[in-house]
Amino acid sequence: MEIAIGLLAVAATVLVGAWVSERTGLPTPLVLILVGIIGSYLPFVPEVTLSPEVVLFGVLPPLLYAAAIQTSLVDFRANRAAILMLSVGLVLFTALGVGFFLWWLLGLPFAVAFAVGAIVAPPDAVAATAVGRQIGLPRRIVSILEGESLVNDATALVSLRTALAAAGLVASATGEVTFGGVVVDFLRAVLGGVAVGLLVAVIVDQVRKRISNDATFDTVLSFMAPFAAYVPAENLHASGVIAVVTTGLVLGHRSPRSQPGASRLSERINWRSVQFLLENAVFLLIGLQAFHVLNRVRESELSTGTITAAALGTLVVVLLLRPAWVFPFKALTRRHHPERGRWAAAAVISWAGMRGVVTLAAAQLLPAATPHRDVLILIAVVVTIGTLLLQGTTLPALARRLGVRGPNPREDALQAATIMSAATRAGLAVLDSETNIDEETRKALRERSEDRVNQLWERLGRRGADVSETPSEQYRRVRMKMLDAEREAVLVLRDEGRAVHEVLRVVLAALDLEETMLDRVEDHEERLRDQMLPVEAIEAPCEHLQGADLTTDVASPGVCAECHVAGTSWVHLRLCLVCGHVGCCNSSQGRHADSHFRETGHPVMRSIEPGESWRWCYVDEVLG
């Protein structure tokens, strides 16, 4: 009963902490650590002991996997130099810097001091990217932070084990610790982890393709994947972290080809829930140990002033070493990549170093014989809380101050429209080649495909003065009312006992899925409002676009002449860059921009909406 009540209390506290974080704007990990610290001083709250084995084998693999399957393998490869610079170079640089500081201040053996440096070196895989997405950082920065946070745990844990072996606190897997042996151990950990991760990814991928067509089966298989990668890798003295990350990156990249849509939707929801609960529960439990950690620290032979100087000094060293590494690296790469040499972006990356679960768990790995062990654990806790408090709360203001902003949502909508256009053309080509189909079905499929594209194009401009809603907005508004009525009718049948439960569940699931899709579209459109589209959102090689005359006079400013004559309304307006004709878009009733091309063959038109200047070539079907 006590265990059940404890689990319920942890889950409830995590939910309340997340709610408080959303209302206050503070990072959720910081809120939960503070709640845990307060709770640790309450007399009715029992002492919580968080085993490092539970964290490293039970919590870390699913957290890493949940982050990895959401990370783009393409972006990871594109930014591999920056990721390796941070996840390997910066971790070792930080471990050395902290090691020298604690060796000087506390008189620790250097191997032990270096071990503490390895503990506090890696930023958290979830905290940094969550803050990055929340404040809208550029995608390249978020990709670099994601990649760094996924890989740096491996560097830190391998360095920690090597340092503890050098200090004689744990046995070395290779006997005597030498520089050559350290390099060999590191390479074996990395290469072995990659090999195990790839093998597990291939097995899971093949099982999905050949066996799994059920979302429940696939979800269970997904839950097994991180442990199937982590445990064998660790038993082979390879890096379990690298194995899990490799498995997650490959499976996330392969999932659109190996998983049905229902399985992917289920996987995203389930892993998001697991990630939320595990990550935040660990922060809460760590906070609950604060009172007991401080009690043990009071028994230390070190003075209070020395302990305070060690904890706060380590925090300062960690905060300073990251920019001391990032800015020189940015200067070295500026000559070769001038477009990436923006110092504002480097400043944001250098300040996005929030520590998290791995730091707190790794501190518990220090053997009982470690000199001043309780003080060293306190240092790890102070660094974690300090980085979350100082960096997590000020990073948004720094990004705004430096003008480092995320992608324009209207640019995203433009790219989504062009990508959907390409996908729709491929689908329609298959439809045209299909012979065993009646014309009514062919027409319905074609209209559905075209409507899907038009819904995306509708988001990109200002509507006409006499158009209160676009066709898609009208559809969503009325369809949501219809769904409410349909659901209510189904529930009446359920309450009256006039239908089988299994059948009702299938119908309700279909209604819920459609409502979810409509809600997501509406949320996306809210972010688009009052956003201006960059002049050059996408570049595409096309002789027609390159030769288009951007100074073409407008024949009928602000109005579609054909719509005016016919008495119909338009949604958005387009301008022909050959003759200056103004026509309405495909979401309008007349589709006069389209018909103008068919009549004249003029290849290029452009948006004539305020704040936009994207162009479209009808001949090559590309955007510029």
Side-chain angles (χ1 to χ4, degrees):
M1 181 64 72
E2 291 181 358
I3 294 177
I5 293 175
L7 292 175
L8 180 62
V10 168
T13 306
V14 166
L15 290 176
V16 173
W19 180 83
V20 172
S21 170
E22 185 178 350
R23 296 300 184 276
T24 61
L26 294 173
T28 302
L30 176 61
V31 172
L32 289 170
I33 284 182
L34 295 178
V35 169
I37 292 175
I38 295 172
S40 69
Y41 283 87
L42 299 178
F44 56 85
V45 176
E47 180 177 359
V48 176
T49 302
L50 190 61
S51 166
E53 288 77 15
V54 170
V55 175
L56 293 178
F57 283 87
V59 176
L60 186 59
L63 283 179
L64 288 170
Y65 185 80
I69 60 174
Q70 300 175 54
T71 300
S72 168
L73 180 59
V74 175
D75 291 344
F76 188 92
R77 288 171 176 168
N79 298 300
R80 59 184 178 275
I83 290 172
L84 290 175
M85 176 270 294
L86 293 171
S87 60
V88 178
L90 178 56
V91 167
L92 296 177
F93 181 66
T94 303
L96 285 171
V98 172
F100 278 116
F101 172 74
L102 293 177
W103 168 75
W104 166 76
L105 181 65
L106 300 181
L108 294 171
F110 183 76
V112 175
F114 181 83
V116 179
I119 289 171
V120 300
D124 181 52
V126 177
T129 53
V131 172
R133 286 198 175 96
Q134 179 183 357
I135 66 179
L137 291 178
R139 286 202 178 93
R140 182 171 184 269
I141 293 181
V142 174
S143 296
I144 290 173
L145 294 177
E146 281 181 336
E148 175 200 5
S149 301
L150 289 173
V151 179
N152 61 11
D153 294 340
T155 306
L157 292 176
V158 171
S159 300
L160 172 62
R161 291 168 184 167
T162 302
L164 293 178
L169 296 173
V170 298
S172 172
T174 57
E176 185 180 356
V177 178
T178 63
F179 178 77
V182 170
V183 173
V184 170
D185 283 348
F186 186 80
L187 292 176
R188 181 175 62 182
V190 173
L191 297 178
V194 171
V196 173
L198 287 174
L199 178 61
V200 172
V202 169
I203 294 173
V204 173
D205 189 60
Q206 292 302 314
V207 171
R208 281 176 170 172
K209 287 180 178 179
R210 301 174 187 274
I211 300 177
S212 173
N213 284 317
D214 179 72
T216 302
F217 181 95
D218 207 12
T219 298
V220 175
L221 185 64
S222 179
F223 284 152
M224 293 171 59
F227 302 103
Y230 191 89
V231 175
E234 289 294 316
N235 286 335
L236 295 172
H237 300 291
S239 171
V241 171
I242 294 293
V244 173
V245 170
T246 302
T247 300
L249 285 173
V250 174
L251 290 179
H253 185 72
R254 296 287 303 166
S255 64
R257 291 188 172 93
S258 60
Q259 286 181 284
S263 293
R264 291 196 301 275
L265 180 63
S266 174
E267 184 178 55
R268 283 195 296 270
I269 295 173
N270 285 314
W271 276 115
R272 194 174 301 156
S273 302
V274 169
Q275 186 180 42
F276 170 82
L277 186 59
L278 287 181
E279 173 88 0
N280 293 323
V282 170
F283 283 113
L284 175 64
L285 295 176
I286 291 296
L288 288 172
Q289 298 181 85
F291 172 77
H292 307 285
V293 170
L294 288 174
N295 264 348
R296 289 191 289 268
V297 167
R298 291 191 184 98
E299 301 173 2
S300 172
E301 61 188 34
L302 298 174
S303 66
T304 302
T306 301
I307 295 173
T308 303
L312 296 181
T314 302
L315 173 60
V316 172
V317 170
V318 166
L319 293 176
L320 293 178
L321 288 179
R322 188 173 176 90
W325 177 268
V326 171
F327 280 105
F329 183 85
K330 179 64 68 174
L332 291 174
T333 58
R334 183 182 177 90
R335 180 173 53 186
H336 302 289
H337 301 286
E339 74 281 2
R340 300 178 185 174
R342 293 173 296 180
W343 297 107
V348 171
I349 291 176
S350 71
W351 197 242
M354 291 75 76
R355 270 56 178 179
V357 171
V358 172
T359 292
L360 298 172
Q364 303 292 331
L365 290 175
L366 293 173
T370 304
H372 310 302
R373 180 177 185 272
D374 293 322
V375 174
L376 301 182
I377 292 176
L378 177 64
I379 289 174
V381 173
V382 169
V383 169
T384 301
I385 297 177
T387 54
L388 287 170
L389 179 62
L390 296 175
Q391 295 179 319
T393 58
T394 59
L395 184 60
L398 176 66
R400 288 193 298 268
R401 178 71 175 175
L402 297 176
V404 178
R405 304 184 186 279
N408 190 312
R410 292 183 64 79
E411 182 176 351
D412 286 351
L414 180 60
Q415 293 201 28
T418 57
I419 292 170
M420 184 63 76
S421 296
T424 300
R425 288 197 301 273
L428 291 178
V430 172
L431 177 63
D432 292 338
S433 66
E434 191 68 37
T435 56
N436 188 22
I437 182 174
D438 63 79
E439 286 307 311
E440 287 300 319
T441 303
R442 186 188 303 275
K443 180 181 178 181
L445 288 170
R446 180 174 292 276
E447 289 179 351
R448 184 172 299 179
S449 294
E450 292 175 349
D451 288 344
R452 186 177 53 184
V453 177
N454 291 338
Q455 288 173 13
L456 293 175
W457 284 109
E458 280 181 23
R459 308 178 191 181
L460 293 170
R462 311 299 193 270
R463 64 201 63 167
D466 56 346
V467 178
S468 58
E469 288 180 309
T470 65
S472 295
E473 290 171 339
Q474 292 176 4
Y475 174 86
R476 280 197 306 277
R477 175 175 57 82
V478 177
R479 185 57 187 149
M480 289 293 280
K481 291 182 179 180
M482 292 172 63
L483 286 171
D484 289 340
E486 291 167 7
R487 185 180 292 105
E488 185 59 32
V490 173
L491 294 177
V492 169
L493 293 176
R494 181 202 64 182
D495 296 341
E496 294 177 352
R498 294 164 54 193
V500 178
H501 173 72
E502 294 298 327
V503 177
L504 288 170
R505 188 170 62 181
V506 171
V507 176
L508 287 173
L511 297 177
D512 291 343
L513 180 59
E514 185 175 356
E515 180 180 336
T516 300
M517 294 171 64
L518 293 174
D519 278 341
R520 292 190 65 182
V521 171
E522 187 172 1
D523 290 342
H524 184 70
E525 290 198 352
E526 287 180 0
R527 295 196 298 271
L528 291 177
R529 292 181 185 132
D530 301 324
Q531 294 285 339
M532 306 303 282
L533 190 67
V535 173
E536 295 180 351
I538 302 175
E539 283 297 333
C542 171
E543 59 180 353
H544 303 99
L545 291 176
Q546 293 173 356
D549 183 5
L550 300 181
T551 62
T552 304
D553 293 332
V554 182
S556 53
V559 62
C560 173
E562 286 95 336
C563 284
H564 183 69
V565 172
T568 56
S569 299
W570 63 85
V571 179
H572 304 141
L573 296 179
R574 310 292 184 248
L575 170 68
C576 174
L577 293 183
V578 176
C579 65
H581 175 271
V582 176
C584 55
C585 68
N586 283 359
S587 293
S588 307
Q589 289 177 268
R591 301 187 174 191
H592 292 123
D594 235 11
S595 60
H596 177 73
F597 165 70
R598 290 195 299 269
E599 293 170 3
T600 65
H602 295 167
V604 180
M605 65 88 174
R606 57 155 287 191
S607 171
I608 200 173
E609 299 296 332
E612 298 184 5
S613 60
W614 53 267
R615 297 161 291 146
W616 174 260
C617 175
Y618 280 104
V619 177
D620 298 320
E621 295 185 322
V622 294
L623 190 75

